[in-house]
Structure formats: structure tokens, C-alpha cells
Amino acid sequence: MLHNKRRITSIALVLALLLGVFWTCPTVSAAEGDFPSNGLIIVGGKTVTNSMTLDDVIDLFGEPKIMTDSLFGGKICTFYGDNYSDYLYIETNSASKIVIYASIADDFRMKTISAGQQNVNSYYVQSKMDYYSNNQQLVCGALDINYYAGSIDRTKYTQMFSQDICTANKNMIPHSVAMFNAATELYGYNTPVVYDEDVYDRVLQLAENGNNPYNYARNNKRTAYERFTSYGSGSWFLHPMMFASRATGYTFPEGKNLAAFVNYMVNDYTYYYCGSVSSELFVNTEHPVALTAEEQVKLQNAMERYQASVDTWNNEPDYYEVEPSVSELPIEPGVIKDAKIEGAIGFINSIRAGAGLKDLTRNDDLVEGAQAKAAYTRYLGYAGISNSNPHNPPQAEGISDEFYRKTRLGGSENLYIGNVQSSISNAIDDGYGDPIYCGHRRNLLDPYASQIGLGSVENQSAHKFYGGQSSDIDFVCWPSKGITPSGAVGSTAQWTIWAYNGYIFNNDTYVTIKLLNKDNATWTITRNDNNNRTSFSRSSICFYNENLALTAGYVYEVTLHNVTKTDTLEVTDYTYRAAIAQLYSGAQEANPELTLDQTELNVTKGETAKLHGILNPNGSSKYTVEWTSSDPTVAEVSPCGLVTAKKRGTAVITAVCGTEEKQCVVTVTTNVLMGDTDGDGEVSINDATCLQKYIAHYNVHSEITLDNADTNNDGHIDIRDVTEIQRYLVGFRQSLG
């Protein structure tokens, strides 16, 4: 049987798989004869039966770590010991009987399933409730329903959940976070997340409008602040196991560990979203940074080339002048329309202009050679001819010397997927093929390259280059020393710095990066960084950090420490700026129309009510609603529109989405007779006397009703409230509160 604090490292898992050795887990079926006939679950040797009440479970496991209200009419409870040992989750009904029970402890047993079990009959188990396994398909956790307790059916449960989805989630999500964290602890992943009510409110608001943090982060170029794991539809009753099952196999970086868990409804069907975020995904603590005069010139040059390239590309509806045919001999490489070639060259020149590099010019021989190379590469695949060195393939039988010579033209070459335009984005990103050193990017940004040819066949592209251009560039970087277009590549990327013009890197060279848009946002990169995406050589530095987002408006200050000038051997620091900018706005998402489901709301003090900010079109991907209250002492409002009545009075709740603004007037009332401090149903001189005694610290707490005592509604109970009662009794006041 497993020990409660077992850690399973990735190395151990790999060795176990290589050696064919399975993780030692209990594989004894829980349905064997030693399992009690009335048993529900055994955890840590403690048996929970179907006749137990919540108090009985507390006697066994101690006080719950988390307890909230359940839609079954009872409580939701999470129990665990040190390091999440003896982990148990239950929900009870109004009679305190157990309706749902679950565990992810490494020794739990149920009638149908046990921790560590293999070859589970998943249909049988999932038809009851849910379970999940690790990457070796060994059961890590399970959740079941006790029909003996007379549970409500799924339809009624879903209706109840949807009626107050905010409260239902807030009762369940803290347990989901605890179960998720227990899974990461018990099964060796150690990537806990934190429940944050503000983040939950914002995630729910997105869900209510058909959106989620994944889409929101990408459409706002803020992917550095979000870590998506999964989403899907609910199975039977919504429960924490849906989130905990995502705890295995995911890593959440420091600062990006606020749980983005939510259950929500779409057309009366239940869904969930699971991920983690930084608070900065929703709360922008950044400030704008002005471009320098030199950066503005580079941006203008880049924008002119980019917009011209888009117009050139879009004005030609057809891609090929002559369609290629490459599945058999003779090869017909095809001819691409001139507008497509010119548009793609304009695109790479816009990127080079932002980096301060000279334009590349079209070379028709290289265009023909690139098209031949793309066609030949596809043919070799169709023919099944071995091509271990794609840049120098063999001359296959039936291929003429002239055609083969064309494929070999150029001083340097890229082979990448996509058409002639998209392959440039792909190669600049260089996310695969050469993801560490980014040699494809280096060819496209070579300061000495002067001529280019582009070709593509069936999504296989070729870029060919000739050199011969003079350059006084010191460093060619990505993001560029100058302007990097946002949207041209992914929102994060491998950073590369290549030294030219008499500079080299040495053993003491390191890099610091400062995001000027945000105070105290600095990263240091050294050759000793313990990851496989960092590389230092004499002429190049390559590294990756997912927190370094290529977000429009960001300006990074990069300092290369201890670089050597080869002519003098002087060791010095070199600082440059990398500005991320939008080159072409294109079709921007229009500000959605905002509607409130209520413009007037009456709430009793101490209660809550939900306002819905409805966006049209639904699913607006980059917008959220910001909520404020004109008087939070009367009515508070959360980021998801949940209004909490604080005291008698009126407040205006304002919802803002971009340029749209809507308001709801909230009136808070009380269901008590103000001034009736003794609770006898009428206001009399005795009420003033009770209140005077309370203020004078006499022990009258059992006699006074404090909710009725703030007769002037100023939020304080003092002698002025006594005066208000007295004035009311003699006719100077018509009402109290």
C-alpha cells in the first residue's frame, strides 16, 4: 500500500516506464470480501459508511479544513491531515447524510475502485460518477454518489446551480482548489494554485459572456499571465474532481498560480474551465512608454512596408499562375503569382525595417530556385526517397541536371511550412525545427543578405538568399533592437541576440531585461540557467522566458553585460531597447453593446443579488465589464456583478465596458422595525433606555437588537441614535433609519 507522502519524480516515472516497472500501488479490488457491506469509502484505515452523519465523519477525521453550503441542503466538507494525508471530500443533505464522497489519498478504497488500480472499467465507474488516472493510467482519485441518501436528480441540481451560479461556485471552488493542490502534493507534481475570489469573479464574468481566460489572454496579447489546462462539459453533478483531474502533468510558474476554475452554464448545459492566471491578467499595473525619435522612424518605415505588403497580397485573389504537380515525374514546380511573392517580400522587409536592417530585393533566379526546391522536397516525400539532409538532397533518378541545379541556388536557405507569407511568420518564430538557436530567423534577419527568392508547394516553402550587402549593425536581436511587430509571430518567443561588427560574448557575459512599462519587472539571464532553452556562444545568446510577452505597447530595455570588443579587447556593457508595436490595425473588434439585466434592484440588508452585464455579441473576446458602486457602504459590488447590501439606503451600480456604460439603482431596505431595540414589535421609551445602557456598556446584549439600533443610518451606534428615538417618540421625526 502506498505511503501518504510519496513523491514521484519525473525521472522515476521515466525509469519505471523504460524498465517496464509499474508504480507500486494497491491494485486489490475494493469489492473484495473485506470491504464492509455498508461502506462508502476507506481512507487512512478509517471507514465511512452510508449510515454516518457529518458529525460521525468529524469524529473520525477531525474538523474539516473547508466547510461551505451544499446544494443538497447540507454541507460541503474537505478533510485532510499533514501534507494532505487522509484526504476526504464529502457533501451532505439536509439530514446530514452523506450524498457525495471522494478522495485522492493514495490509499483510498471504494466498492468499485481503489487508488493505484489499473485496467479500470471506465464506463462502469464513470456511469456512476468520476475518477481520474495519472500518466501511467493508475487511479489517483475517485468521486462517487451515495444513492442510499436519497439525492436530488441531475436536472434539479442543475437548475439550482444555475439559479445562483455565483454562490454555488464560491461554495465549491475552494474545495476544488484544495483537491487540486492535494493531487499535486500527493502525486509528486508540486504545482499548487491559490483560490482568489477576485480572480474567480472575473473568470465567472467571462464565462457568463461566452468567453474564458484563454481567449481573453490571447486577444489582449497577455498570454504571459495565463496558463490554460482544460475545459469541457460537466459529468453528472458538478464537482471538484473535474478540476483535480487536471493537476497531474501541469506546471504553474511562480506568480501565475491563481486558480482560474469555474463551472458555468450554456443553454442549460454545464461546462467547466480549468487554468491558472496572474492577477495582472485582469488588473493592469502597467504604464505606457513613449517611443524614442529613432524608434518612431523605424516604426513608420515598418508600417509603410507592412501595409503596402498587405494591400499587394490581398489585391490578388489567386495564388498560382501555374499549378504545381509534384506527386510523380515529371515534376511541374508551378509558378506563384507575382503579387503573392511581392507581398511576402514586403512582409519580411517590414520586420527588417523595424530592426533597422536594409531591405531584401527580389531575385527572379532565386524565386525560380525556391519554387523548384519546395516542389522537389514534396516530390521526395511522395516517392519515399530518403532525404536525411533536406538542404542537400540526393539527385533522384529522372531529375535533370538543370532542375537539380535550380534547387541548389542561393547562399543560404530556409525550409519551413506555410505559403510564402505564412512561412515567414513561422520561420521568424522558429518554434520548431531549430527552436533553440533559431537559424531560420537568423537567415531572414541577416544584415548582410541583399536578395531573396520565395517558393511554396502544398504548404512546403523555401526561402533562398544571396549576400553582399554592407552593414554596420552591432547586434541583430529578436525581439528586435528597435521595433518588433506584435501579431507577426506568437505572443511569446525564443529570444536571440547575434553579435556582429567586432563584438563577441565571453564567459562573463550575461543579460538583464527590464520591462519599462512596469515597475520592478526585471529578469536576469546567465549561461548557468538550468534549462534546455538557454545557449551562450561567442557570437550568439538564445533563451526563453514565458513571462516576456510580445504585447503591443511593451518596451524592453536589454543590457548585455561584459561583452568584448575584438579590436581593443575592451569588456563593456551594451544596452538597447526592444519596442513591441502594432504595424497594421486591420479589422479591430468593435466595442460590444452592454446591457444590464436589471436597472432597478431592491435588496434587503445582509443579502446579495446578481447583476448580469450582457455583452452583444456574446463571446466578445477582449472585453470585460468593470463594476463600481457610488456608495459601497450601502451596496458593494464584486467584479462579477454580485451586489451585497450593507445598510439601509440607495446606491448606483455602474457597469462599464469600453465606451459603453450602464447603471442600476440599488435600494437597500431592512426587514426590521428601526428603533425597536428590545425586539417587542414597537418603538417605545424602553428602546431608548436599552440603547443608552448598551452605549454605557451595561450588559444588555441579550436584550438589544443591534440591527434595529442604527436609527440615523450613519453606520455607527451611539448617543445620536438614542436622540433619534426620543425625537421620533415626541413627533419631531416621522420615521427612523
Side-chain angles (χ1 to χ4, degrees):
M1 185 172 292
L2 284 177
H3 298 293
N4 287 329
K5 298 182 182 179
R6 183 180 299 277
R7 301 291 187 274
I8 303 172
T9 66
S10 57
I11 295 175
L13 288 174
V14 171
L15 289 175
L17 291 171
L18 291 175
L19 296 173
V21 177
F22 289 103
W23 175 27
T24 304
C25 293
T27 58
V28 178
S29 170
E32 292 185 4
D34 64 335
F35 197 88
S37 60
N38 67 340
L40 297 178
I41 187 170
I42 301 173
V43 179
K46 304 166 187 175
T47 301
V48 178
T49 69
N50 59 24
S51 62
M52 283 184 170
T53 65
L54 175 57
D55 288 340
D56 296 327
V57 177
I58 291 175
D59 287 342
L60 270 180
F61 288 84
E63 291 295 325
K65 301 294 184 181
I66 306 171
M67 184 164 66
T68 58
D69 293 330
S70 169
L71 288 178
F72 292 102
K75 295 296 182 181
I76 308 175
C77 295
T78 293
F79 303 85
Y80 55 83
D82 294 341
N83 297 316
Y84 294 104
S85 62
D86 297 344
Y87 189 95
L88 175 68
Y89 170 91
I90 64 170
E91 291 194 46
T92 64
N93 61 18
S94 57
S96 198
K97 295 294 186 180
I98 299 167
V99 178
I100 286 179
Y101 53 98
S103 185
I104 56 169
D106 48 14
D107 64 349
F108 80 83
R109 297 174 65 197
M110 296 181 183
K111 285 185 178 180
T112 57
I113 197 167
S114 297
Q117 191 171 340
Q118 292 178 272
N119 302 318
V120 174
N121 184 335
S122 60
Y123 176 79
Y124 174 72
V125 174
Q126 287 189 316
S127 69
K128 295 194 68 181
M129 278 305 288
D130 206 1
Y131 85 102
Y132 78 97
S133 305
N134 67 359
N135 58 1
Q136 291 180 280
Q137 296 306 302
L138 303 175
V139 172
C140 294
L143 183 147
D144 208 345
I145 186 166
N146 177 21
Y147 290 99
Y148 175 86
S151 60
I152 58 180
D153 62 27
R154 179 188 176 186
T155 301
K156 184 176 179 181
Y157 182 91
T158 301
Q159 291 173 346
M160 294 170 64
F161 199 99
S162 62
Q163 286 170 2
D164 192 356
I165 195 168
C166 186
T167 301
N169 265 304
K170 287 186 176 181
N171 285 334
M172 181 178 292
I173 298 304
H175 299 273
S176 303
V177 170
M179 191 178 290
F180 185 100
N181 289 344
T184 68
E185 171 78 12
L186 289 168
Y187 294 99
Y189 293 90
N190 300 315
T191 56
V193 293
V194 176
Y195 175 70
D196 182 274
E197 190 164 323
D198 183 81
V199 167
Y200 162 73
D201 283 341
R202 294 178 182 276
V203 174
L204 175 61
Q205 184 199 128
L206 290 175
E208 288 177 334
N209 279 294
N211 200 2
N212 59 58
Y214 178 86
N215 291 332
Y216 179 82
R218 276 145 188 80
N219 284 286
N220 285 281
K221 309 297 185 206
R222 300 179 67 79
T223 56
Y225 302 116
E226 183 267 351
R227 176 68 162 91
F228 167 75
T229 61
S230 63
Y231 72 95
S233 58
S235 173
W236 288 85
F237 301 100
L238 296 168
H239 54 78
M241 192 67 69
M242 291 185 296
F243 302 105
S245 64
R246 308 302 169 183
T248 56
Y250 289 97
T251 300
F252 300 106
E254 183 179 354
K256 197 192 300 185
N257 64 339
L258 301 181
F261 297 174
V262 68
N263 297 292
Y264 58 102
M265 317 294 295
V266 178
N267 297 325
D268 296 325
Y269 199 72
T270 57
Y271 288 83
Y272 70 91
Y273 176 90
C274 183
S276 69
V277 300
S278 162
S279 60
E280 294 175 75
L281 176 63
F282 302 112
V283 181
N284 193 345
T285 60
E286 299 152 4
H287 48 80
V289 175
L291 297 181
T292 65
E294 181 182 358
E295 288 165 347
Q296 291 175 3
V297 171
K298 289 181 178 179
L299 176 59
Q300 184 63 35
N301 290 338
M303 290 179 66
E304 290 174 356
R305 287 163 174 77
Y306 185 75
Q307 294 180 20
S309 75
V310 170
D311 293 340
T312 301
W313 181 279
N314 290 340
N315 286 337
E316 174 54 70
D318 298 324
Y319 188 73
Y320 285 113
E321 187 79 41
V322 177
E323 290 282 342
S325 177
V326 297
S327 61
E328 58 185 10
L329 295 177
I331 295 175
E332 171 51 68
V335 178
I336 297 174
K337 290 277 190 177
D338 282 343
K340 299 302 185 183
I341 299 293
E342 295 295 334
I345 292 175
F347 175 53
I348 183 56
N349 280 338
S350 70
I351 296 174
R352 289 175 63 93
L357 302 172
K358 296 178 182 178
D359 286 349
L360 299 173
T361 59
R362 171 174 173 161
N363 181 303
D364 287 336
D365 288 339
L366 288 181
V367 170
E368 189 174 357
Q371 189 65 19
K373 185 58 173 285
Y376 189 49
T377 301
R378 293 296 296 128
Y379 167 74
L380 292 175
Y382 278 118
I385 297 174
S386 177
N387 187 16
S388 59
N389 188 350
H391 293 292
N392 294 286
Q395 183 174 352
E397 184 177 351
I399 300 299
S400 68
D401 291 344
E402 179 184 7
F403 183 86
Y404 187 63
R405 179 188 62 79
K406 289 179 181 179
T407 69
R408 299 178 65 82
L409 287 174
S412 56
E413 174 184 87
N414 286 341
L415 295 174
Y416 229 92
I417 63 167
N419 60 38
V420 290
Q421 195 273 354
S422 62
S423 65
I424 291 172
S425 286
N426 295 335
I428 281 284
D429 192 43
D430 224 350
Y432 62 92
D434 192 9
I436 308 302
Y437 309 106
C438 300
H440 302 93
R441 179 192 299 165
R442 187 167 189 170
N443 284 338
L444 289 166
L445 300 181
D446 184 351
Y448 302 120
S450 59
Q451 300 175 68
I452 188 172
L454 302 172
S456 74
V457 174
E458 297 180 358
N459 215 40
Q460 170 63 65
S461 284
H463 314 151
K464 288 183 174 290
F465 308 88
Y466 279 137
Q469 193 162 218
S470 63
S471 172
D472 59 358
I473 294 292
D474 295 329
F475 296 93
V476 175
C477 315
W478 190 265
S480 296
K481 186 183 73 170
I483 300 295
T484 300
S486 68
V489 297
S491 54
T492 57
Q494 182 84 355
W495 285 50
T496 50
I497 304 167
W498 293 292
Y500 293 93
N501 198 30
Y503 282 94
I504 60 172
F505 305 122
N506 58 61
N507 290 336
D508 296 322
T509 300
Y510 67 98
V511 184
T512 58
I513 302 165
K514 181 184 296 184
L515 177 57
L516 299 181
N517 306 77
K518 183 179 174 183
D519 296 335
N520 303 315
T522 303
W523 297 265
T524 300
I525 311 297
T526 74
R527 65 175 60 243
N528 297 319
D529 287 348
N530 186 26
N531 66 72
N532 59 5
R533 297 191 67 169
T534 299
S535 171
F536 278 67
S537 72
R538 284 172 58 86
S539 62
S540 68
I541 297 173
C542 311
F543 58 89
Y544 176 82
N545 186 314
E546 67 174 7
N547 294 308
L548 300 175
L550 304 186
T551 299
Y554 277 12
V555 179
Y556 290 99
E557 182 182 87
V558 184
T559 299
L560 310 176
H561 298 270
N562 303 326
V563 297
T564 301
K565 300 184 69 172
T566 56
D567 55 348
T568 63
L569 299 183
E570 175 189 3
V571 176
T572 186
D573 293 347
Y574 186 100
T575 298
Y576 66 91
R577 297 194 352 159
I580 318 301
Q582 187 75 40
L583 299 189
Y584 182 70
S585 59
Q588 295 293 319
E589 181 180 338
N591 196 111
E593 178 185 351
L594 171 64
T595 304
L596 293 188
D597 64 335
Q598 300 174 81
T599 57
E600 294 183 356
L601 188 62
N602 293 310
V603 193
T604 302
K605 177 183 175 182
E607 295 184 348
T608 61
K610 184 73 167 62
L611 287 174
H612 293 275
I614 303 165
L615 301 183
N616 184 24
N618 186 264
S620 296
S621 55
K622 60 184 294 185
Y623 289 93
T624 58
V625 180
E626 296 297 324
W627 299 88
T628 57
S629 172
S630 64
D631 191 346
T633 66
V634 172
E636 289 182 340
V637 63
S638 78
C640 70
L642 184 68
V643 177
T644 302
K646 306 295 288 186
K647 73 174 184 179
R648 188 185 185 98
T650 301
V652 177
I653 303 299
T654 301
V656 176
C657 179
T659 58
E660 291 275 301
E661 180 177 306
K662 294 292 185 293
Q663 293 182 331
C664 176
V665 178
V666 177
T667 302
V668 179
T669 59
T670 62
N671 56 7
V672 296
L673 178 60
M674 294 303 297
D676 180 21
T677 61
D678 62 5
D680 65 356
E682 62 180 8
V683 180
S684 66
I685 193 63
N686 188 58
D687 296 302
T689 302
C690 284
L691 189 52
Q692 284 177 311
K693 289 181 178 180
Y694 172 78
I695 295 168
H697 303 292
Y698 283 94
N699 185 19
V700 293
H701 290 270
S702 61
E703 303 173 24
I704 191 167
T705 305
L706 295 181
D707 284 345
N708 304 5
D710 184 15
T711 58
N712 64 354
N713 200 36
D714 67 352
H716 304 282
I717 298 174
D718 52 32
I719 195 62
R720 286 172 291 188
D721 297 303
V722 176
T723 302
E724 290 298 288
I725 295 176
Q726 293 170 336
R727 294 179 67 201
Y728 172 76
L729 291 172
V730 297
F732 286 108
R733 289 290 308 269
Q734 298 301 310
S735 63
L736 293 172

